[in-house]
Amino acid sequence: MSTRFNRSKAVGLMLLSGSASVMAADPAVLDSVVIQGEHKDKARTVEVQSTAAAITSLSGAKLEEQGISSVRDLANIVPNLAQPRTAVANLNSSFYIRGIGEPDAQGEPSVAVYFDDLYWPKNLGANQELLDVERIEVFRGPQGQAFGHSSLAGVLRLSSTVPDETRRLRTLLSYGNYQDVKLGLATSGPVAENIFGSLAATVHKRDGVTPNVTVGRDTNDIDYAAVRGKLRFKIDPSLEATVSASGVRDRSTARGVQNLAYGDQKAHNQVFPEQSYDSHALSLTVNYKIDANLRLKLLAGNTHFEQNGFFDNTGDFYGRNSQLVTYRDDTWQGELQLQGSYDRVEFTTGLYAYKEAWYTNRRANTAANATSDPAAIRYRPVYTVIDQDTLNHAVYGELKLKVSEALKLTAGLRYNREEHTQSNQLYNLVATAPFQSNASNFLAVINAEPQALVWDARGNKRWNTGSPKVSADYQWSSKLLQYLTYSEGSKSAGYDYRAQAANGKLQAELPFNPEIARNLETGLKADWFGGILRTNVAAFYTRFDDIQLTTTDPTQTPAITRRFNAGQGSTRGLEFEGHWLALDGLQIDFSGAFLKARLDRFDGAAATVTVIPASSINPNGLLLRSGPFAGADLPNAPKVQGRLAATWRLPLSHTGVWLINGNVNYQAKSFTDTTNNPTTLLPAQTYLNGSITYIPNGSPWSVTLAGQNLANKRYALTEGFTPRTTPTIDGTALYRTTNYNDPRAITLALKYEI
């Protein structure tokens, strides 16, 4: 048995390295070292199995093996990481770790996302396709004592290939149903003496999967292109610098919402949901080895994106509550980090500076009544401009003390100072009172020049926060680690980014405070039976105060709807992941989570209840709350998640190797908001995926047949129900909106790799 395991483990670790022989190796096993690239960037090194934290590490090879081709595909593969499988645009996403997340793509993410150490400021554009990603790491729980930007719930870090002395070339061509075509190229290696470069590019197009029967075109298509390049300069043995640039162009349509009140699963809006998204990221990273114990790292970078789109929020033929929006964001980031490693002491300390300029221009076609009579439909169209600037300065540090061979103690602290400035103006799009349009002219009005200024709101405020961390871990043996950690994290304060009502000046002027998470966690990391089986288990309790919600604030007169600190929440649960080398060539991966996440205290206005009579749509009627309540489940926090995957390497003696993978993902039902209305209840979801790869002996070519959602399950996601109120509430739906996950996808891919 020992001989069998050693051979399997060796090739499994080779697979994780992302080498050219990746597809010919045995199935991957989680390696112990997480490191950004192969260039020994000690400033970002993490020993997964000996670190007192819940961490999931996925190499590029492992991602490919499991059919993970975009950030959204990470749902369920990481314990307690939840993502909605639809969004208003192809590249938009939301991340929830342990039930904590930001539902609005305009808000600061509760889960911090880093692309090659650059913090990405919004969930807009976060659903990137995985070009030349060498590794993805997910850190669960509050972070900030060893990262540049503070994070309330956790960190998702993507690291791309770092060029070195080895020449590599990789090409991909795939084709699938719905005319799904993807082209990819990645190359890296030396370009001159002590200079190394890499270039990766991909183009992905797919037809729409949801027909819009009004305009005769399909929505929910993909039209995506991305490129990334790096130059790494090895100046001397102790000093190197890397310049990186990347760009994304996306012209996929905005999500085509289905209004089930029409009795089908198709889109009906008479305005086609066009969308455009462009972004770039530039960075300079300098690593300097001061001596055998000290390393210094400097990071400076800029990110920019702009998104323009017609966003359909209700699936209504008449375009009510649809919006024409421009989003634009620029950040400038700098980080100086010093890391030291001595016999009994290790430390990381850093300075962080961050500046963000956020701009929104929105034309909102807000409904002014709730009737199904076209002649009686009225809109209150407005034009809003929002400029919000953020300055963030922080100092952070973490010290690890080796008390004995088995016991380590860790202490960390972050001090954060932030300043937010905002300017928000609202204009009418109709010149005269009552400033309304109707169903016959709304298209002209929504594109009209802005008219009279309704209000102008401005504000500026500063906040200071501190986030401590203490931890103890005990190495019971070389293969068994136990830890206990208390940590805190924060989510920035700011100003409301959705103030667009005629009476919304106060909503725009009043700031909200930071949200604070306090986490107590214990975990056990173990290798069993000589390393054939690995299990990592964590149990946690997180309380977060000053939770940021958009709801009715009763402290204002009159009461207004705004984003403010509306109470206290908590999450608690258990999560695990494991890897079992069952036989020669066969690996079983499994993970799961149990979670209870709720709103413990609610400081907003008490919810009113509307009784919806029974109807053909809702035979038993409905009780709908107008807002959150204490005891409500938090959104996108399924109580149970699970995943089981098997990868089998089957060698053929004279011709080649078959690599067969299958996995099943399960997610229990959950709500999409804290009203916990039955119309916001997502169904339990199960997805079956698989792939078969053939690699001829001694050939750089391979071919893969892969399938996602093989059972072709279609789930109604992000549901909503708005009753008709004119002339009466009779159970008829004005909007009964939803989105569906993508249908079954089958692709055939041809790859060349040297």
Side-chain angles (χ1 to χ4, degrees):
M1 179 177 291
S2 176
T3 303
R4 182 195 71 184
F5 165 69
N6 289 338
R7 185 175 68 251
S8 297
K9 184 176 181 181
V11 293
L13 291 175
M14 181 172 62
L15 177 56
L16 279 165
S17 72
S19 65
S21 59
V22 59
M23 299 307 296
D26 276 345
V29 56
L30 196 70
D31 57 352
S32 296
V33 178
V34 175
I35 184 168
Q36 186 179 4
E38 298 176 351
H39 68 312
K40 289 96 179 168
D41 179 3
K42 297 297 183 183
R44 283 290 189 247
T45 301
V46 176
E47 300 280 350
V48 173
Q49 291 304 104
S50 61
T51 298
I55 304 170
T56 295
S57 169
L58 300 163
S59 71
K62 188 70 174 178
L63 294 166
E64 180 180 351
E65 170 196 296
Q66 300 294 315
I68 308 299
S69 60
S70 73
V71 172
R72 185 171 290 132
D73 293 335
L74 292 172
N76 290 120
I77 195 171
V78 177
N80 266 328
L81 172 64
Q83 295 184 70
R85 295 182 183 270
T86 63
V88 297
N90 176 48
L91 293 187
N92 294 1
S93 191
S94 296
F95 305 100
Y96 295 78
I97 289 181
R98 297 175 173 175
I100 304 175
E102 171 53 60
D104 196 318
Q106 297 179 74
E108 177 179 299
S110 298
V111 178
V113 177
Y114 292 87
F115 294 102
D116 282 339
D117 285 347
L118 274 183
Y119 172 74
W120 196 252
K122 306 288 183 185
N123 284 328
L124 297 162
N127 181 38
Q128 299 289 323
E129 298 199 11
L130 304 180
L131 276 174
D132 57 339
V133 170
E134 184 169 279
R135 186 171 300 280
I136 291 178
E137 303 122 46
V138 181
F139 299 78
R140 300 187 292 280
Q143 305 290 330
Q145 296 78 19
F147 283 91
H149 203 284
S150 182
S151 170
L152 190 74
V155 164
L156 172 63
R157 187 169 71 192
L158 294 88
S159 302
S160 64
T161 299
V162 176
D164 57 17
E165 293 83 356
T166 303
R167 295 189 182 275
R168 298 179 177 88
L169 174 65
R170 178 183 175 87
T171 61
L172 166 72
L173 169 63
S174 72
Y175 179 80
N177 56 337
Y178 296 99
Q179 306 296 316
D180 190 310
V181 178
K182 182 182 290 188
L183 299 172
L185 169 70
T187 183
S188 66
V191 296
E193 185 177 0
N194 294 326
I195 301 176
F196 313 94
S198 65
L199 179 67
T202 189
V203 175
H204 185 193
K205 294 193 175 186
R206 189 199 68 188
D207 289 349
V209 297
T210 302
N212 184 312
V213 296
T214 302
V215 300
R217 295 173 60 187
D218 292 340
T219 65
N220 303 336
D221 64 351
I222 296 175
D223 186 356
Y224 171 90
V227 63
R228 174 169 32 240
K230 288 184 179 181
L231 281 177
R232 176 180 163 228
F233 301 87
K234 195 169 183 179
I235 301 168
D236 62 43
S238 62
L239 179 63
E240 66 173 56
T242 301
V243 178
S244 178
S246 63
V248 172
R249 178 188 183 277
D250 186 80
R251 295 298 182 269
S252 310
T253 56
R255 196 76 187 177
V257 176
Q258 292 83 47
N259 183 355
L260 302 184
Y262 289 111
D264 59 31
Q265 298 180 9
K266 300 176 182 178
H268 290 264
N269 200 315
Q270 58 184 293
V271 180
F272 193 72
E274 303 285 357
Q275 184 268 166
S276 66
Y277 176 93
D278 297 281
S279 72
H280 73 249
L282 305 170
S283 68
L284 168 67
T285 305
V286 178
N287 286 282
Y288 178 54
K289 182 179 178 182
I290 299 173
D291 57 33
N293 306 109
L294 291 173
R295 294 176 180 270
L296 189 67
K297 179 172 182 174
L298 171 67
L299 171 70
N302 163 253
T303 69
H304 166 86
F305 73 79
E306 180 170 326
Q307 184 176 43
N308 298 276
F310 178 88
F311 297 113
D312 180 4
N313 294 317
T314 59
D316 178 40
F317 173 82
Y318 300 102
R320 284 171 289 188
N321 296 324
S322 298
Q323 300 189 7
L324 289 168
V325 181
T326 294
Y327 298 129
R328 187 164 61 245
D329 189 274
D330 286 278
T331 75
W332 296 266
Q333 306 176 36
E335 184 179 2
L336 182 64
Q337 187 181 82
L338 178 66
Q339 187 179 74
S341 179
Y342 297 88
D343 289 340
R344 304 186 71 87
V345 175
E346 296 180 8
F347 69 86
T348 299
T349 185
L351 299 173
Y352 180 69
Y354 175 83
K355 180 180 180 181
E356 180 182 4
W358 168 248
Y359 171 83
T360 303
N361 177 205
R362 180 182 290 112
R363 296 170 177 266
N365 201 37
T366 307
N369 57 17
T371 177
S372 297
D373 179 4
I377 290 174
R378 295 294 181 268
Y379 312 87
R380 180 62 161 82
V382 294
Y383 176 96
T384 183
V385 176
I386 302 174
D387 279 295
Q388 296 182 336
D389 294 330
T390 298
L391 288 174
N392 189 318
H393 297 90
V395 56
Y396 63 85
E398 190 173 272
L399 176 68
K400 297 181 180 181
L401 175 63
K402 187 176 181 181
V403 179
S404 67
E405 288 300 316
L407 178 63
K408 290 182 182 178
L409 301 179
T410 301
L413 181 64
R414 177 189 184 88
Y415 170 76
N416 202 81
R417 179 179 177 84
E418 56 183 290
E419 179 179 0
H420 296 266
T421 303
Q422 74 101 14
S423 170
N424 191 341
Q425 294 83 40
L426 186 83
Y427 300 83
N428 285 318
L429 282 172
V430 176
T432 58
F435 310 109
Q436 293 183 352
S437 59
N438 57 57
S440 65
N441 69 355
F442 86 90
L443 287 174
V445 172
I446 200 67
N447 288 286
E449 290 297 316
Q451 302 297 312
L453 176 68
V454 181
W455 49 257
D456 184 351
R458 299 173 187 272
N460 174 269
K461 191 172 180 178
R462 297 181 180 89
W463 290 264
N464 298 305
T465 54
S467 303
K469 173 183 177 180
V470 290
S471 180
D473 58 270
Y474 195 83
Q475 197 81 45
W476 293 96
S477 70
S478 62
K479 301 298 183 181
L480 182 62
L481 172 76
Q482 186 176 11
Y483 68 87
L484 178 66
T485 297
Y486 173 82
S487 60
E488 294 185 10
S490 65
K491 179 178 173 180
S492 292
Y495 291 88
D496 204 315
Y497 34 78
R498 284 197 178 275
Q500 59 186 46
N503 62 349
K505 183 178 181 181
L506 192 59
Q507 176 187 359
E509 288 178 334
L510 294 174
F512 52 86
N513 295 321
E515 187 174 333
I516 307 297
R518 298 173 174 87
N519 179 62
L520 182 64
E521 177 179 328
T522 185
L524 195 67
K525 301 185 176 187
D527 288 334
W528 308 89
F529 312 116
I532 290 176
L533 175 66
R534 170 171 293 174
T535 58
N536 290 345
V537 182
F540 61 90
Y541 171 81
T542 306
R543 191 189 80 184
F544 46 105
D545 298 313
D546 290 327
I547 184 172
Q548 298 169 5
L549 295 174
T550 299
T551 186
T552 303
D553 182 358
T555 66
Q556 305 300 315
T557 304
I560 61 172
T561 296
R562 72 180 187 97
R563 192 171 183 91
F564 71 106
N565 302 98
Q568 181 186 92
S570 65
T571 74
R572 69 215 71 192
L574 177 72
E575 56 201 21
F576 62 89
E577 55 187 334
H579 312 272
W580 177 32
L581 293 172
L583 299 168
D584 269 337
L586 176 63
Q587 179 173 313
I588 308 296
D589 298 310
F590 53 92
S591 63
F594 302 93
L595 178 69
K596 183 175 179 60
R598 69 183 185 186
L599 181 62
D600 296 315
R601 193 189 78 240
F602 179 58
D603 299 332
T608 59
V609 177
T610 300
V611 179
I612 307 298
S615 66
S616 59
I617 296 177
N618 298 291
N620 298 319
L622 287 173
L623 295 178
L624 299 182
R625 298 183 187 88
S626 63
F629 62 96
D633 288 349
L634 293 179
N636 293 290
K639 290 181 171 61
V640 178
Q641 287 178 292
R643 186 173 191 274
L644 180 64
T647 306
W648 184 27
R649 176 184 181 272
L650 179 62
L652 303 177
S653 57
H654 300 295
T655 58
V657 174
W658 290 96
L659 193 65
I660 304 169
N661 175 265
N663 61 82
V664 59
N665 303 288
Y666 172 78
Q667 175 179 306
K669 61 186 179 181
S670 61
F671 291 97
T672 59
D673 65 26
T674 46
T675 66
N676 284 193
N677 285 325
T679 55
T680 68
L681 182 63
L682 298 181
Q685 302 166 54
T686 302
Y687 298 95
L688 178 64
N689 312 303
S691 65
I692 301 175
T693 299
Y694 177 67
I695 313 104
N697 286 337
S699 173
W701 294 94
S702 66
V703 61
T704 299
L705 180 66
Q708 299 289 317
N709 189 16
L710 287 170
N712 201 30
K713 295 288 188 179
R714 301 301 304 276
Y715 299 103
L717 310 177
T718 60
E719 292 190 70
F721 181 90
T722 301
R724 184 181 68 180
T725 60
T726 304
T728 61
I729 298 178
D730 59 3
T732 303
L734 187 66
Y735 321 119
R736 185 175 170 234
T737 58
T738 192
N739 282 310
Y740 288 88
N741 61 290
D742 285 345
R744 179 193 296 121
I746 304 294
T747 58
L748 182 67
L750 184 64
K751 303 168 190 175
Y752 178 85
E753 187 171 5
I754 56 174

